[in-house]
Amino acid sequence: MTRNALRIACAVAFPLLFSGAALAAVPEGLKLTSGPVRTDPAGAFVSVGVANTTTTIFGQIVVACTFTGGGQTLGTSSTTLFSVVGGTTGNDQVRLIGATSATAATCEITSAQ
């Protein structure tokens, strides 16, 4: 599969996978923040944080980001934050390999358990 064919396949498949209709409701008390999109020779990345303002311990919180650039969707990638205790913030990066032209990312919590 060529690089362009792979990008097209990812651009079509991942938004369907992460569409709001298929997602469970995110518990109240989780607040997502994201930093600016950065690029390097490997691709694009964005730092994300999820503040847990509840007293619940979340074993896994999944954050997915859709990267765009040049008026096109470049792809979607995600990270899983583990063991986010109440009153703390879990932090990580979401990276999309090959997306060196990314200029923006839209991120959302796709699941929290």
Side-chain angles (χ1 to χ4, degrees), residues 60-73:
Q60 295 182 10
I61 300 173
V62 179
V63 177
C65 299
T66 299
F67 291 83
T68 57
Q72 297 182 1
T73 298

Side-chain angles (χ1 to χ4, degrees), residues 29-40:
L30 296 180
K31 180 177 165 78
L32 173 65
T33 58
S34 59
V37 173
R38 307 269 189 218
T39 59
D40 61 20

Side-chain angles (χ1 to χ4, degrees), residues 24-107:
V26 175
E28 288 189 36
L30 296 180
K31 180 177 165 78
L32 173 65
T33 58
S34 59
V37 173
R38 307 269 189 218
T39 59
D40 61 20
F45 60 94
V46 61
S47 295
V48 295
V50 177
N52 178 0
T53 63
T54 73
T55 58
T56 304
I57 298 172
F58 288 92
Q60 295 182 10
I61 300 173
V62 179
V63 177
C65 299
T66 299
F67 291 83
T68 57
Q72 297 182 1
T73 298
L74 303 174
T76 299
S77 187
S78 65
T79 189
T80 302
L81 306 173
F82 294 96
S83 300
V84 181
V85 177
T88 67
T89 300
N91 296 288
D92 201 1
Q93 289 183 340
V94 178
R95 177 173 283 276
L96 184 62
I97 302 301
T100 56
S101 63
T103 56
T106 302
C107 302

